Amino acid sequence: MKLSILDQSPRYEGERAEDAFQHTIQLAQLAEELGYHRFWVAEHHDSEHVVGSSPEVLISHLLAKTHHIRIGSGGVMLQHYSPYKVAENFNVLASLSPNRIDLGIGRAPGGLPHSTQALQQNSQPTKSLTDKLIELKQYLNDTLPEDHPLYGLKAYPRPKKSADIFLLGASASSAELAGSLNLPYVFAQFINGDQKVLKEAISVYNQHVSSRARSLVVALSVIVADTVEEAKALASSTKIFKVYLQNGKSATLGSKEKAEEFGQQSKESYRIEEKEANVIYGTKETIRQKLQALKQEFSIDEFIILTAIQNFEQKKQSYTLLKEAFNEGDAQKINQTLAAY
């Protein structure tokens, strides 16, 4: 079972941003020691509770604080940026730490309407996200076509191996785009927990991607504890708030206050729906069974795990128990690792 970690650098009550980043660093180091495959950080804007607004900068620091684990973005919100500049940033990272860099691309804005407006200030929204993704891939692979107006332009430096691109999404349309470009696809099941949508997205991805390029990752919210009751209690505190705009668009936020703010900034009629977060919780045994069943049903290559627990020690324990669930023979070694962190 290939397992990875997604961390959003949350800042909890009574903490500073510096504390949140230190927790991310410690978690990346623990992930490496426990044998997780990769460690990703997110991009959020205009949020005092989720402080990771610049994944490229944070990735660079995490690379210096770890030794071999893959580090990447989950993800860079490409709609805001120049594909050329993103390619330059990640070529620098791939040159500094060869064969360790992942470039996950997100399709969401990563913030509220005002932050989107600020990020795209003075930019010309002439290219679709699909066009930007294609161009990014060309810059990274140095395959800009001759009919491109900037043909001959290079995204220096040129690493021996460029960052691996992943497309993140939670719908059939994102799955189709990933498949058509033969990119690894990451379905954010912790955002869209509708099993029908998951099935449809995977089916569409399988239809469009070549068998050689297929790589399916599912991002899950998981909490593991010593008892089911404890895990359930930890999971019950996690809520999500869905904002539905009059124009048909929607957004998922982590608090009612942010949901209200999103609706007000959109300057459209809106409604908010409070939901239980889609969290898979249980003991080592039950979580192992649930993930193995998902893997078998959908031929999933990898799970990337988000654990939203406010107590950092409990959060580390959950990730440790999860790794123990699939490495029972290494339980003693894992426990010794946890004690060091």
Side-chain angles (χ1 to χ4, degrees), residues 109 111-118 245 261-267:
L112 306 185
H114 283 177
S115 62
T116 295
Q117 183 180 352
L245 302 180
E261 198 174 345
F262 187 98
Q264 292 167 7
Q265 289 184 15
S266 71
K267 297 181 180 179

Side-chain angles (χ1 to χ4, degrees), residues 163-217:
D164 290 341
I165 306 178
F166 296 73
L167 182 63
L168 286 57
S171 66
S173 61
S174 59
E176 181 177 351
L177 178 57
S180 65
L181 296 178
N182 280 326
L183 292 175
Y185 179 55
V186 184
F187 184 89
Q189 202 257 1
F190 70 94
I191 293 175
N192 191 338
D194 190 328
Q195 197 79 349
K196 291 182 180 179
V197 177
L198 173 64
K199 289 182 179 180
E200 181 187 9
I202 293 176
S203 175
V204 169
Y205 179 64
N206 289 337
Q207 290 169 22
H208 287 84
V209 73
S210 71
S211 57
R212 186 177 300 177
R214 184 189 187 276
S215 179
L216 177 63
V217 183

Side-chain angles (χ1 to χ4, degrees), residues 313-331:
E313 294 304 317
Q314 290 177 317
K315 185 175 183 175
K316 291 192 297 181
Q317 177 68 2
S318 179
Y319 278 121
T320 302
L321 291 173
L322 176 62
K323 207 66 176 71
E324 283 183 8
F326 295 94
N327 298 276
E328 288 292 358
D330 296 330

Side-chain angles (χ1 to χ4, degrees), residues 55-65 71 92-93 96-97:
E56 302 94 333
V57 174
L58 186 50
I59 287 168
S60 180
H61 191 72
L62 293 175
L63 289 167
K65 295 292 185 178
I71 305 288
V92 169
L93 292 171
L96 290 169
S97 297

Side-chain angles (χ1 to χ4, degrees), residues 7-8 42-47 50-55 74-75 77 109-111 115:
D7 188 60
Q8 297 178 325
E43 177 179 333
H44 291 87
H45 301 285
D46 191 25
S47 173
V50 183
V51 298
S53 56
S54 181
M77 302 309 173
S115 62

